[in-house]
Amino acid sequence: MRELTYLEAVREAMSQEMRANEDVFVLGEDIGVYGGAFGVTRGMIEEFGPERIRNTPISEAAISGTAVGAALTGMRPIVELQFSDFMTIAMDNMVNQAAKIRYMYGGKGKVPMVLRTPAGSGTGAAAQHSQSLEAWMAHIPGLKVVQPSTAYDAKGLLKAAIDDDNPVIFYEHKLCYPKKSDVPEEAYSIPLGKADIKKQGSDVTIVATAIMVHKSLEAAEELQKEGIEVEVIDPRTLVPLDIETIVQSVKKTGRLVVVHEAVKRGGFGGEIASLIAESEAFDYLDAPIKRLGGKAVPIPYNPELEKAAVPVVADIVTAVKETLNRL
Amino acid sequence: MTQKLKLPPHVKETELKGLYKQMWLIRFFEEKVDEFFAKGMIHGTTHLSVGQEASAVGSIAVLNEQDKITSTHRGHGHCIAKGATVNGMMAELFGRTTGYCKGKGGSMHIADVDKGNLGANGIVGGGFAIAAGAALTSQMKGAGYVVLCFFGDGASNEGSFHEAINLASIWKLPVVFICENNQYGMSGPVREMINIEDIAARAASYGIPGKVVDGNDVFEVMNGVSEAVDRARNGEGPSIVEAKTYRSKGHSKSDAKKYRTREEEKEWLLRDPIKLMAKVLIEEEIFTQQEAEEIKADAKKEVEESVEFAKNSPEPTLDALMEDIYA
Ligand SMILES: Cc1ncc(C[n+]2csc(CCOP(=O)(O)OP(=O)(O)O)c2C)c(N)n1
């Protein structure tokens, strides 16, 4: 099978959906001839024209709100929010409008939109362009939250997100953009709410999201050399969350490490840990659950500090060994 | 026919009685709501548009069935003018299942998407971009409908005003922004909050027309909005129409109105929009004084009946709590 990068996979999913359905269009800043800040929409304006690859002014409130209005009246807009940090400016439309319209209207009306946005640190862009704010969105009833880690997942999940009749926040980790994997040419859908076991193992379960999936797989490889078999689960979507797959894994391994890049305090790792503590898997736990997350600090500019702000492979290795009492 | 009754092409003389009835329906509905609110029979909060009926009825009178509106926190008049029944509205305010939003939206969120009412809004300025988005759908699908976006003088100081109107103007979206300038944003007098005489003048910075009309004269409103609607429908883009009017009551509950004088209130009362309309229609022999009284009585009866309807409607069961969160 041919390989695509994560970035190309996102583009392919959008293009295929746009070919299949006239109601799908993209709007955002610099997405036209420029091709988007990260190049995701590069070439799309040539195929689809400026009507459907809609270059907008720098107006996050207008972009997000326009998408809500268009979705409510029958279109299926995809917003490219240039950096996920700018959600602060689109927040009203996503939290007070998109998420609530259906409920407030007594089940009438729907808002089938996707807000795609690059998140995460590692590019030296510092505090206002490097955040991981997915827990904010996961907290809001009415929104769905997707965080693909591989090209294959990105393509299938984006199709599912576009087809979904609800507002979906689709986080693309910037460091995942160049990552390659086998991606089928035809359109396919990965259901929202279905976790993926990225590596089977029997000793410890790691639940990781976005770029941390890759770091966890690296850690698992190192640990394997010492005979430790790690199971790595990528929930892929936080809302809906496939807690069942995690429960089954923890029942098997008896140990759980949760890893995300977002600040640990109030982060989604706490949610997963609590769900396990409340589940039947609690009785199977042989060690306390460990949470790894970003430090409670704005992402700094200095590369060494930036690295130190979020979990690295060595942190994951250590955490796993701690749960096994192997330190 | 005298000068006074200059109707836009969209409004037939035969419709005038119906529009007059709408004015009274809005007035009686809101007075009833005010009474029940004082008695604690309706909870939450409500924002009444008593004294502003002409801007809602006059604006919406020039629309076609398939045209759409977005409304504000002060939206009862817009809902009724767009064809909502007082039964469904009263039931909503009572929180009953037969309400427009099954009792989940309340006064500030009444919507009737099927009939083109894309919703009232609890967020000041929340409707600007949604209206632009709905207009974008109309443009992209060639649907031919126009969107009216109601907003207050206070809302024009929100960032979303500038972003959405700018976007609508560069894309020539078929939307008309209607400012109901009732002189106050909560307690803030417009003269202290905005350093220009007319909010409509702000249109100049977006390269679109801005027009001021007497918001208490339903005919002036119709004519002003009609021109803007035609322009929008012809693909010439958005406009701002500012209707200068006054809200007779306080902002919402427990408003002692310390920020304004009783003299000012009395002055505006002399120009009550319903009385002004009746006067013209009698002078123009559209109806007699007698008929005018009958129409008023009909409206009153309809509102009384809506109270019975609401009181006799079922409360939602607790199962409804978790319904309609996702499509
Ligand atoms: C974003 C936001 N800020 C503040 C409020 C509180 N609030 C509700 S109505 C209102 C006044 C709005 O004034 P205006 O837009 O002139 O409309 P009017 O009430 O006069 O109809 C305020 C401040 C709100 N609901 N939303």
Side-chain angles (χ1 to χ4, degrees), chain B residues 180-205:
Chain B
E180 297 180 295
N181 181 351
N182 61 13
Q183 315 301 328
Y184 293 91
M186 220 142 158
S187 68
V190 66
R191 62 185 178 277
E192 284 176 24
M193 299 298 165
I194 297 171
N195 200 19
I196 46 173
E197 184 66 27
D198 299 319
I199 290 164
R202 291 184 164 179
S205 36

PDB file of all heavy atoms in Angstrom, chain B residues 180-205:
ATOM      1  N   GLU B 180     -31.635  47.496  16.300  1.00  0.00           N
ATOM      2  CA  GLU B 180     -32.765  48.069  17.035  1.00  0.00           C
ATOM      3  C   GLU B 180     -32.155  48.937  18.131  1.00  0.00           C
ATOM      4  O   GLU B 180     -31.824  48.443  19.198  1.00  0.00           O
ATOM      5  CB  GLU B 180     -33.634  46.962  17.607  1.00  0.00           C
ATOM      6  CG  GLU B 180     -34.247  46.103  16.511  1.00  0.00           C
ATOM      7  CD  GLU B 180     -35.109  44.984  17.065  1.00  0.00           C
ATOM      8  OE1 GLU B 180     -34.566  44.083  17.743  1.00  0.00           O
ATOM      9  OE2 GLU B 180     -36.334  45.011  16.836  1.00  0.00           O
ATOM     10  N   ASN B 181     -31.981  50.164  17.796  1.00  0.00           N
ATOM     11  CA  ASN B 181     -31.349  51.089  18.748  1.00  0.00           C
ATOM     12  C   ASN B 181     -32.414  51.606  19.706  1.00  0.00           C
ATOM     13  O   ASN B 181     -33.123  52.568  19.416  1.00  0.00           O
ATOM     14  CB  ASN B 181     -30.680  52.237  17.994  1.00  0.00           C
ATOM     15  CG  ASN B 181     -30.001  53.205  18.952  1.00  0.00           C
ATOM     16  OD1 ASN B 181     -30.170  53.109  20.179  1.00  0.00           O
ATOM     17  ND2 ASN B 181     -29.245  54.138  18.421  1.00  0.00           N
ATOM     18  N   ASN B 182     -32.488  50.924  20.857  1.00  0.00           N
ATOM     19  CA  ASN B 182     -33.495  51.325  21.859  1.00  0.00           C
ATOM     20  C   ASN B 182     -32.875  52.244  22.911  1.00  0.00           C
ATOM     21  O   ASN B 182     -33.387  52.370  24.007  1.00  0.00           O
ATOM     22  CB  ASN B 182     -34.149  50.098  22.481  1.00  0.00           C
ATOM     23  CG  ASN B 182     -33.147  49.208  23.207  1.00  0.00           C
ATOM     24  OD1 ASN B 182     -32.009  49.620  23.457  1.00  0.00           O
ATOM     25  ND2 ASN B 182     -33.555  48.010  23.550  1.00  0.00           N
ATOM     26  N   GLN B 183     -31.757  52.822  22.568  1.00  0.00           N
ATOM     27  CA  GLN B 183     -31.097  53.871  23.365  1.00  0.00           C
ATOM     28  C   GLN B 183     -30.275  53.368  24.548  1.00  0.00           C
ATOM     29  O   GLN B 183     -29.478  54.108  25.114  1.00  0.00           O
ATOM     30  CB  GLN B 183     -32.104  54.927  23.875  1.00  0.00           C
ATOM     31  CG  GLN B 183     -33.105  55.413  22.833  1.00  0.00           C
ATOM     32  CD  GLN B 183     -32.445  56.041  21.615  1.00  0.00           C
ATOM     33  OE1 GLN B 183     -31.384  56.645  21.716  1.00  0.00           O
ATOM     34  NE2 GLN B 183     -33.037  55.849  20.450  1.00  0.00           N
ATOM     35  N   TYR B 184     -30.456  52.098  24.921  1.00  0.00           N
ATOM     36  CA  TYR B 184     -29.711  51.594  26.075  1.00  0.00           C
ATOM     37  C   TYR B 184     -29.220  50.164  25.861  1.00  0.00           C
ATOM     38  O   TYR B 184     -29.931  49.338  25.296  1.00  0.00           O
ATOM     39  CB  TYR B 184     -30.594  51.604  27.346  1.00  0.00           C
ATOM     40  CG  TYR B 184     -30.935  53.002  27.783  1.00  0.00           C
ATOM     41  CD1 TYR B 184     -32.098  53.619  27.316  1.00  0.00           C
ATOM     42  CD2 TYR B 184     -30.079  53.719  28.607  1.00  0.00           C
ATOM     43  CE1 TYR B 184     -32.406  54.929  27.675  1.00  0.00           C
ATOM     44  CE2 TYR B 184     -30.375  55.025  28.971  1.00  0.00           C
ATOM     45  CZ  TYR B 184     -31.533  55.620  28.509  1.00  0.00           C
ATOM     46  OH  TYR B 184     -31.820  56.912  28.854  1.00  0.00           O
ATOM     47  N   GLY B 185     -28.033  49.871  26.347  1.00  0.00           N
ATOM     48  CA  GLY B 185     -27.571  48.502  26.502  1.00  0.00           C
ATOM     49  C   GLY B 185     -27.593  48.266  28.001  1.00  0.00           C
ATOM     50  O   GLY B 185     -26.789  48.849  28.715  1.00  0.00           O
ATOM     51  N   MET B 186     -28.535  47.497  28.441  1.00  0.00           N
ATOM     52  CA  MET B 186     -28.771  47.330  29.870  1.00  0.00           C
ATOM     53  C   MET B 186     -28.935  48.718  30.515  1.00  0.00           C
ATOM     54  O   MET B 186     -29.953  49.345  30.315  1.00  0.00           O
ATOM     55  CB  MET B 186     -27.622  46.555  30.528  1.00  0.00           C
ATOM     56  CG  MET B 186     -28.109  45.578  31.553  1.00  0.00           C
ATOM     57  SD  MET B 186     -27.117  44.093  31.473  1.00  0.00           S
ATOM     58  CE  MET B 186     -27.389  43.454  33.070  1.00  0.00           C
ATOM     59  N   SER B 187     -27.914  49.230  31.186  1.00  0.00           N
ATOM     60  CA  SER B 187     -28.048  50.577  31.758  1.00  0.00           C
ATOM     61  C   SER B 187     -27.203  51.593  31.003  1.00  0.00           C
ATOM     62  O   SER B 187     -27.177  52.764  31.363  1.00  0.00           O
ATOM     63  CB  SER B 187     -27.615  50.557  33.218  1.00  0.00           C
ATOM     64  OG  SER B 187     -26.219  50.324  33.275  1.00  0.00           O
ATOM     65  N   GLY B 188     -26.509  51.110  29.980  1.00  0.00           N
ATOM     66  CA  GLY B 188     -25.567  51.998  29.285  1.00  0.00           C
ATOM     67  C   GLY B 188     -26.230  52.794  28.186  1.00  0.00           C
ATOM     68  O   GLY B 188     -26.646  52.234  27.172  1.00  0.00           O
ATOM     69  N   PRO B 189     -26.321  54.133  28.352  1.00  0.00           N
ATOM     70  CA  PRO B 189     -26.918  54.951  27.295  1.00  0.00           C
ATOM     71  C   PRO B 189     -26.030  54.939  26.054  1.00  0.00           C
ATOM     72  O   PRO B 189     -24.810  55.044  26.173  1.00  0.00           O
ATOM     73  CB  PRO B 189     -26.959  56.360  27.887  1.00  0.00           C
ATOM     74  CG  PRO B 189     -26.353  56.279  29.233  1.00  0.00           C
ATOM     75  CD  PRO B 189     -25.793  54.931  29.455  1.00  0.00           C
ATOM     76  N   VAL B 190     -26.657  54.840  24.917  1.00  0.00           N
ATOM     77  CA  VAL B 190     -25.892  54.730  23.682  1.00  0.00           C
ATOM     78  C   VAL B 190     -24.969  55.943  23.512  1.00  0.00           C
ATOM     79  O   VAL B 190     -23.847  55.832  23.034  1.00  0.00           O
ATOM     80  CB  VAL B 190     -26.838  54.506  22.472  1.00  0.00           C
ATOM     81  CG1 VAL B 190     -27.730  55.707  22.220  1.00  0.00           C
ATOM     82  CG2 VAL B 190     -26.059  54.150  21.224  1.00  0.00           C
ATOM     83  N   ARG B 191     -25.404  57.096  23.962  1.00  0.00           N
ATOM     84  CA  ARG B 191     -24.582  58.312  23.768  1.00  0.00           C
ATOM     85  C   ARG B 191     -23.279  58.259  24.574  1.00  0.00           C
ATOM     86  O   ARG B 191     -22.332  58.966  24.269  1.00  0.00           O
ATOM     87  CB  ARG B 191     -25.387  59.568  24.091  1.00  0.00           C
ATOM     88  CG  ARG B 191     -25.859  59.635  25.525  1.00  0.00           C
ATOM     89  CD  ARG B 191     -26.754  60.825  25.831  1.00  0.00           C
ATOM     90  NE  ARG B 191     -27.176  60.752  27.226  1.00  0.00           N
ATOM     91  CZ  ARG B 191     -28.195  60.013  27.658  1.00  0.00           C
ATOM     92  NH1 ARG B 191     -28.917  59.311  26.807  1.00  0.00           N
ATOM     93  NH2 ARG B 191     -28.499  59.966  28.938  1.00  0.00           N
ATOM     94  N   GLU B 192     -23.263  57.437  25.617  1.00  0.00           N
ATOM     95  CA  GLU B 192     -22.023  57.303  26.394  1.00  0.00           C
ATOM     96  C   GLU B 192     -21.147  56.156  25.901  1.00  0.00           C
ATOM     97  O   GLU B 192     -19.970  56.053  26.247  1.00  0.00           O
ATOM     98  CB  GLU B 192     -22.351  57.055  27.872  1.00  0.00           C
ATOM     99  CG  GLU B 192     -22.796  58.298  28.600  1.00  0.00           C
ATOM    100  CD  GLU B 192     -23.200  58.009  30.037  1.00  0.00           C
ATOM    101  OE1 GLU B 192     -22.735  56.996  30.612  1.00  0.00           O
ATOM    102  OE2 GLU B 192     -24.005  58.797  30.579  1.00  0.00           O
ATOM    103  N   MET B 193     -21.753  55.251  25.162  1.00  0.00           N
ATOM    104  CA  MET B 193     -21.051  54.037  24.759  1.00  0.00           C
ATOM    105  C   MET B 193     -20.500  54.104  23.340  1.00  0.00           C
ATOM    106  O   MET B 193     -19.657  53.312  22.953  1.00  0.00           O
ATOM    107  CB  MET B 193     -21.985  52.828  24.866  1.00  0.00           C
ATOM    108  CG  MET B 193     -22.489  52.585  26.267  1.00  0.00           C
ATOM    109  SD  MET B 193     -21.104  52.242  27.369  1.00  0.00           S
ATOM    110  CE  MET B 193     -21.886  52.442  28.952  1.00  0.00           C
ATOM    111  N   ILE B 194     -21.062  55.007  22.551  1.00  0.00           N
ATOM    112  CA  ILE B 194     -20.688  55.094  21.137  1.00  0.00           C
ATOM    113  C   ILE B 194     -20.506  56.556  20.799  1.00  0.00           C
ATOM    114  O   ILE B 194     -21.388  57.363  21.065  1.00  0.00           O
ATOM    115  CB  ILE B 194     -21.800  54.461  20.248  1.00  0.00           C
ATOM    116  CG1 ILE B 194     -21.933  52.967  20.563  1.00  0.00           C
ATOM    117  CG2 ILE B 194     -21.503  54.684  18.771  1.00  0.00           C
ATOM    118  CD1 ILE B 194     -23.099  52.283  19.930  1.00  0.00           C
ATOM    119  N   ASN B 195     -19.370  56.880  20.207  1.00  0.00           N
ATOM    120  CA  ASN B 195     -19.038  58.286  20.020  1.00  0.00           C
ATOM    121  C   ASN B 195     -19.466  58.847  18.668  1.00  0.00           C
ATOM    122  O   ASN B 195     -18.830  59.737  18.123  1.00  0.00           O
ATOM    123  CB  ASN B 195     -17.527  58.464  20.219  1.00  0.00           C
ATOM    124  CG  ASN B 195     -17.172  59.900  20.516  1.00  0.00           C
ATOM    125  OD1 ASN B 195     -18.036  60.675  20.913  1.00  0.00           O
ATOM    126  ND2 ASN B 195     -15.921  60.256  20.313  1.00  0.00           N
ATOM    127  N   ILE B 196     -20.519  58.267  18.110  1.00  0.00           N
ATOM    128  CA  ILE B 196     -21.073  58.832  16.869  1.00  0.00           C
ATOM    129  C   ILE B 196     -22.580  58.886  17.023  1.00  0.00           C
ATOM    130  O   ILE B 196     -23.157  58.199  17.874  1.00  0.00           O
ATOM    131  CB  ILE B 196     -20.711  58.003  15.610  1.00  0.00           C
ATOM    132  CG1 ILE B 196     -20.928  56.504  15.859  1.00  0.00           C
ATOM    133  CG2 ILE B 196     -19.294  58.283  15.145  1.00  0.00           C
ATOM    134  CD1 ILE B 196     -20.749  55.636  14.646  1.00  0.00           C
ATOM    135  N   GLU B 197     -23.221  59.651  16.189  1.00  0.00           N
ATOM    136  CA  GLU B 197     -24.667  59.854  16.299  1.00  0.00           C
ATOM    137  C   GLU B 197     -25.438  58.587  15.884  1.00  0.00           C
ATOM    138  O   GLU B 197     -26.342  58.151  16.576  1.00  0.00           O
ATOM    139  CB  GLU B 197     -25.045  61.045  15.394  1.00  0.00           C
ATOM    140  CG  GLU B 197     -26.489  61.462  15.440  1.00  0.00           C
ATOM    141  CD  GLU B 197     -26.905  62.024  16.809  1.00  0.00           C
ATOM    142  OE1 GLU B 197     -26.011  62.550  17.514  1.00  0.00           O
ATOM    143  OE2 GLU B 197     -28.084  61.919  17.167  1.00  0.00           O
ATOM    144  N   ASP B 198     -25.019  58.037  14.742  1.00  0.00           N
ATOM    145  CA  ASP B 198     -25.761  56.897  14.193  1.00  0.00           C
ATOM    146  C   ASP B 198     -24.881  55.659  14.081  1.00  0.00           C
ATOM    147  O   ASP B 198     -23.788  55.723  13.510  1.00  0.00           O
ATOM    148  CB  ASP B 198     -26.285  57.237  12.788  1.00  0.00           C
ATOM    149  CG  ASP B 198     -27.227  58.415  12.813  1.00  0.00           C
ATOM    150  OD1 ASP B 198     -28.056  58.490  13.746  1.00  0.00           O
ATOM    151  OD2 ASP B 198     -27.126  59.273  11.900  1.00  0.00           O
ATOM    152  N   ILE B 199     -25.391  54.548  14.559  1.00  0.00           N
ATOM    153  CA  ILE B 199     -24.666  53.281  14.410  1.00  0.00           C
ATOM    154  C   ILE B 199     -24.594  52.912  12.926  1.00  0.00           C
ATOM    155  O   ILE B 199     -23.626  52.302  12.468  1.00  0.00           O
ATOM    156  CB  ILE B 199     -25.339  52.201  15.270  1.00  0.00           C
ATOM    157  CG1 ILE B 199     -25.075  52.533  16.750  1.00  0.00           C
ATOM    158  CG2 ILE B 199     -24.819  50.807  14.939  1.00  0.00           C
ATOM    159  CD1 ILE B 199     -25.946  51.821  17.726  1.00  0.00           C
ATOM    160  N   ALA B 200     -25.610  53.289  12.186  1.00  0.00           N
ATOM    161  CA  ALA B 200     -25.630  53.002  10.738  1.00  0.00           C
ATOM    162  C   ALA B 200     -24.405  53.587  10.035  1.00  0.00           C
ATOM    163  O   ALA B 200     -23.971  53.086   8.996  1.00  0.00           O
ATOM    164  CB  ALA B 200     -26.905  53.550  10.114  1.00  0.00           C
ATOM    165  N   ALA B 201     -23.832  54.647  10.620  1.00  0.00           N
ATOM    166  CA  ALA B 201     -22.657  55.266   9.999  1.00  0.00           C
ATOM    167  C   ALA B 201     -21.469  54.312   9.986  1.00  0.00           C
ATOM    168  O   ALA B 201     -20.548  54.464   9.184  1.00  0.00           O
ATOM    169  CB  ALA B 201     -22.295  56.551  10.737  1.00  0.00           C
ATOM    170  N   ARG B 202     -21.492  53.346  10.853  1.00  0.00           N
ATOM    171  CA  ARG B 202     -20.394  52.380  10.879  1.00  0.00           C
ATOM    172  C   ARG B 202     -20.330  51.565   9.578  1.00  0.00           C
ATOM    173  O   ARG B 202     -19.302  50.965   9.266  1.00  0.00           O
ATOM    174  CB  ARG B 202     -20.541  51.441  12.075  1.00  0.00           C
ATOM    175  CG  ARG B 202     -20.313  52.173  13.387  1.00  0.00           C
ATOM    176  CD  ARG B 202     -20.352  51.266  14.585  1.00  0.00           C
ATOM    177  NE  ARG B 202     -19.766  51.959  15.739  1.00  0.00           N
ATOM    178  CZ  ARG B 202     -19.662  51.443  16.947  1.00  0.00           C
ATOM    179  NH1 ARG B 202     -20.094  50.233  17.202  1.00  0.00           N
ATOM    180  NH2 ARG B 202     -19.109  52.134  17.916  1.00  0.00           N
ATOM    181  N   ALA B 203     -21.417  51.531   8.856  1.00  0.00           N
ATOM    182  CA  ALA B 203     -21.445  50.792   7.589  1.00  0.00           C
ATOM    183  C   ALA B 203     -20.365  51.283   6.637  1.00  0.00           C
ATOM    184  O   ALA B 203     -19.805  50.511   5.861  1.00  0.00           O
ATOM    185  CB  ALA B 203     -22.817  50.928   6.934  1.00  0.00           C
ATOM    186  N   ALA B 204     -20.072  52.583   6.727  1.00  0.00           N
ATOM    187  CA  ALA B 204     -19.100  53.177   5.799  1.00  0.00           C
ATOM    188  C   ALA B 204     -17.756  52.464   5.871  1.00  0.00           C
ATOM    189  O   ALA B 204     -17.083  52.293   4.846  1.00  0.00           O
ATOM    190  CB  ALA B 204     -18.928  54.660   6.114  1.00  0.00           C
ATOM    191  N   SER B 205     -17.385  52.019   7.046  1.00  0.00           N
ATOM    192  CA  SER B 205     -16.061  51.387   7.136  1.00  0.00           C
ATOM    193  C   SER B 205     -16.037  49.994   6.511  1.00  0.00           C
ATOM    194  O   SER B 205     -14.968  49.398   6.385  1.00  0.00           O
ATOM    195  CB  SER B 205     -15.569  51.344   8.577  1.00  0.00           C
ATOM    196  OG  SER B 205     -16.620  51.122   9.462  1.00  0.00           O
TER     197      SER B 205
END
